[in-house]
C-alpha cells in the first residue's frame, strides 16, 4: 500500500493531475495501439466480446461483461445489438434478418435460455422471456413499416430485459481476489450509483465482476460521502473529466482506521480470462494483442486515475472518458490496458457533455447493489 510523506505530496499531486492528460495527448498523436505484437495465452473466461467493430455503448459492454456461458442468450443479445448499426445504414433487409434471428432463439431455444438459471429465479426468467416475445411482435411490425423510431425504442427495451435475464444466470462470483488485497473493499457483483451535479444527474453502473477492488473502493467511498461537494479538477474536451481530489493537502483517501493513504492496485480483466491481472499494464506484460473486458470505447467510461509511474497509486480520483469517435477511434487508444475501467455512465450523458472544471458533485449515492459491497474484516 502506498503511503506518502508530506514532502512527497506536492510532487505526487502534480503527477496525478498531469500523467493522465499526457497519455491522452499521446493517444491523439499516435491514434493506434500496438496490436500487432504477440501475446501469451491464459486460461479463458467464457464472457468475451464479439468480433467486429468496437462496441461504443456502455450498457452493451456491461451486458457482454457478465460472467455467463449461455450461447442462446448471447445470440439473442447479439441479434438485437446489431440492429442499431444496420439501421444507421438504412439496411432494412439486414434489420429484418436480425429480428428473424432473435425470433428463432425465443421460439426454439427457450429451454436453453432457462438452463443456467437457479430454480428460484425460473418464474422471473420465464416472465422476462414472455415479455421479450411480446415486444418482438411490436419490433417486427415496426420493421415492416420501416418505423425507425419505434424499432430503436423497442430494441432498447428488449435489450434491457435481456440484460436482466442474463443477470439471473450469474449464480456466484466467478473468482477469488488475491489474499494480499483482502484489506481493501470488494464489490462482488454490480452496483448503481446516482451522481447529482450542479449541471444535472448521472447514473453510473459499477462492475465488480470485472474489477472488484477498483469498483469496491469507489462504492465504499460513495457510501462514506467522500465525493459529496467535490469539484471537478480537470476537463479536457473530447477526452476526460476528472474528480476526486479532497480538500486539503491530501490527494487521495486517507483510511481513518490506518491513518494511511489507501492505494488501489491497477486491476484489469483481459477478454477471455478468468480473473483480473494486477499491477501490470498490457505493455509491461507483453499483452499487445489483448483487449480488456471493460474497454475505453464508450462515451462515459469511468476509470481510476493514477500517476503514470505508480501502478498502485490510484485512490479516490476517477475520470470519465469523453469518447469522441472522430478523434479517438474505438479500440485504438493507449488507455486500454493502462488504466482500470470499473463502470460506465448509463444515464445522463447529455449532462456529462456539459460538465467542466470547477463544476461540482453535489452528492453521490448507491441506489442499487450495496449488498454486493464486501468490507474488509
Amino acid at each position: 500500500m502506498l503511503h506518502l510523506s508530506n514532502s512527497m505530496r506536492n510532487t505526487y499531486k502534480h503527477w496525478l493531475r498531469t500523467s493522465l492528460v499526457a497519455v491522452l495527448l499521446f493517444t491523439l498523436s499516435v491514434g493506434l495501439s500496438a496490436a500487432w505484437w504477440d501475446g501469451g495465452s491464459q486460461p479463458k473466461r467464457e464472457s468475451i466480446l464479439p468480433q467486429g467493430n468496437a462496441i461504443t455503448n456502455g450498457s452493451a459492454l456491461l451486458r457482454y461483461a457478465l460472467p455467463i456461458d449461455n450461447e442462446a442468450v448471447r445470440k439473442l443479445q447479439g441479434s438485437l445489438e446489431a440492429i442499431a448499426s444496420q439501421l444507421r445504414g438504412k439496411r432494412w433487409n439486414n434489420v429484418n434478418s436480425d429480428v428473424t434471428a432473435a425470433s428463432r432463439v425465443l421460439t426454439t431455444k427457450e429451454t436453453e435460455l432457462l438452463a443456467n438459471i437457479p430454480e428460484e429465479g425460473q418464474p422471473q426468467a420465464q416472465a422476462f422471456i414472455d415479455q421479450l416475445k411480446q415486444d418482438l411482435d411490436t419490433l417486427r411490425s415496426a420493421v415492416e413499416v420501416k418505423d425507425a423510431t419505434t424499432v430503436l425504442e423497442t430494441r432498447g427495451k428488449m435489450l434491457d430485459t435481456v440484460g436482466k435475464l442474463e443477470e439471473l444466470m450469474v449464480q456466484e462470483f466467478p473468482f477469488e481476489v488475491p489474499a494480499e488485497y483482502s484489506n481493501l473493499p470488494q464489490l462482488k457483483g454490480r452496483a448503481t450509483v446516482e451522481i447529482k451535479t450542479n449541471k444535472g444527474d448521472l447514473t453510473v453502473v459499477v462492475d465488480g465482476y470485472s474489477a472488484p477492488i477498483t469498483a469496491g473502493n469507489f462504492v465504499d467511498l460513495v457510501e462514506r460521502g467522500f465525493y459529496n461537494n467535490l469539484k471537478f479538477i480537470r476537463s479536457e474536451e473530447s477526452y476526460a473529466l476528472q474528480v476526486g481530489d479532497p480538500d486539503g493537502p491530501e490527494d487521495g483517501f486517507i483510511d481513518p482506521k490506518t491513518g494511511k493513504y489507501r492505494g488501489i492496485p491497477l486491476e484489469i480483466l483481459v477478454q477471455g480470462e478468468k480473473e483480473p491481472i494486477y499491477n501490470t499494464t498490457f505493455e509491461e506484460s507483453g499483452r499487445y494483442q489483448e483487449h480488456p473486458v471493460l474497454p475505453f470505447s464508450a462515451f462515459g467510461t469511468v476509470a481510476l486515475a493514477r500517476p503514470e509511474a505508480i501502478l498502485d497509486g490510484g485512490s479516490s480520483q476517477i475520470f470519465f472518458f469523453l469518447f469522441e469517435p472522430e478523434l479517438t477511434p474505438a479500440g485504438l487508444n493507449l488507455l486500454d490496458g493502462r488504466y482500470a475501467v470499473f463502470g460506465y455512465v448509463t444515464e445522463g450523458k447529455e449532462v456529462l457533455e456539459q460538465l467542466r472544471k470547477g463544476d461540482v458533485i453535489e452528492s453521490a449515492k448507491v441506489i442499487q447493489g450495496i449488498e454486493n459491497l464486501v468490507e474488509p474484516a
Side-chain angles (χ1 to χ4, degrees), residues 29-43:
S29 64
V30 176
L32 49 83
S33 61
W36 46 268
W37 275 293
D38 291 331
S41 60
Q42 296 290 334

Side-chain angles (χ1 to χ4, degrees), residues 32-45 47-49 51 268-275 277 280-296 331-339:
L32 49 83
S33 61
W36 46 268
W37 275 293
D38 291 331
S41 60
Q42 296 290 334
K44 299 298 181 184
R45 169 172 164 176
S47 54
I48 60 176
L49 299 179
Q51 298 298 312
I268 303 173
L269 179 62
V270 181
Q271 284 184 28
E273 295 203 353
K274 182 179 179 181
E275 57 190 63
I277 58 174
T280 181
T281 65
F282 281 10
E283 181 181 6
E284 291 172 335
S285 56
R287 296 172 177 265
Y288 299 105
Q289 288 186 322
E290 306 287 357
H291 299 279
V293 169
L294 302 180
F296 284 94
L332 299 179
N333 65 75
L334 296 180
L335 296 179
D336 284 338
R338 192 182 291 260
Y339 290 89

Side-chain angles (χ1 to χ4, degrees), residues 92-361:
W92 285 101
N93 287 337
N94 291 349
V95 172
N96 188 64
S97 297
D98 290 327
V99 172
T100 300
S103 176
R104 188 179 300 115
V105 173
L106 287 171
T107 55
T108 67
K109 302 290 185 180
E110 185 170 312
T111 300
E112 288 89 335
L113 290 172
L114 294 169
N116 297 112
I117 297 174
E119 183 177 353
E120 61 272 17
Q122 291 278 331
Q124 188 176 14
Q126 186 63 62
F128 288 150
I129 292 173
D130 293 342
Q131 183 63 56
L132 286 167
K133 290 178 178 178
Q134 182 178 330
D135 291 336
L136 186 66
D137 291 336
T138 303
L139 182 63
R140 186 182 292 109
S141 298
V143 171
E144 288 177 358
V145 298
K146 297 184 178 180
D147 181 353
T149 299
T150 301
V151 168
L152 287 175
E153 290 177 352
T154 307
R155 165 194 172 271
K157 179 183 177 184
M158 292 182 70
L159 281 170
D160 287 343
T161 304
V162 168
K164 294 174 183 177
L165 180 64
E166 290 172 337
E167 289 175 3
L168 290 176
M169 296 178 181
V170 183
Q171 299 187 29
E172 60 184 11
F173 196 75
F175 57 88
E176 288 296 325
V177 171
E180 63 189 289
Y181 305 125
S182 61
N183 62 317
L184 298 170
Q186 300 175 26
L187 187 68
K188 294 197 170 182
R190 286 186 173 167
T192 303
V193 176
E194 180 183 72
I195 300 176
K196 292 185 176 295
T197 78
N198 61 307
K199 295 285 182 64
D201 299 346
L202 308 172
T203 300
V204 176
V205 175
V206 182
D207 184 21
Y209 292 121
S210 302
I213 297 176
T214 317
N217 173 68
F218 175 70
V219 171
D220 173 71
L221 293 178
V222 168
E223 279 292 282
R224 293 172 183 267
F226 181 89
Y227 294 100
N228 296 349
N229 302 313
L230 284 188
K231 292 182 179 181
F232 290 94
I233 60 172
R234 178 177 292 281
S235 58
E236 301 292 334
E237 187 174 359
S238 300
Y239 276 116
L241 178 72
Q242 190 166 333
V243 70
D245 183 13
D247 293 333
E250 306 298 345
D251 31 65
F253 174 65
I254 304 300
D255 192 332
K257 291 183 179 180
T258 64
K260 296 181 179 180
Y261 180 96
R262 188 163 81 186
I264 303 301
L266 177 62
E267 177 184 47
I268 303 173
L269 179 62
V270 181
Q271 284 184 28
E273 295 203 353
K274 182 179 179 181
E275 57 190 63
I277 58 174
Y278 291 92
N279 279 340
T280 181
T281 65
F282 281 10
E283 181 181 6
E284 291 172 335
S285 56
R287 296 172 177 265
Y288 299 105
Q289 288 186 322
E290 306 287 357
H291 299 279
V293 169
L294 302 180
F296 284 94
S297 63
F299 182 90
T301 301
V302 189
L304 185 67
R306 66 172 179 83
E308 175 69 7
I310 307 178
L311 296 179
D312 60 353
S315 179
S316 62
Q317 295 195 37
I318 65 171
F319 66 96
F320 299 85
F321 185 48
L322 309 180
F323 174 69
E324 175 55 59
E326 292 183 358
L327 297 178
T328 52
L332 299 179
N333 65 75
L334 296 180
L335 296 179
D336 284 338
R338 192 182 291 260
Y339 290 89
V341 174
F342 61 91
Y344 296 93
V345 172
T346 57
E347 295 180 31
K349 294 179 182 179
E350 70 285 352
V351 174
L352 187 57
E353 290 177 337
Q354 300 172 26
L355 291 169
R356 298 290 186 271
K357 179 180 178 180
D359 285 322
V360 179
I361 290 181

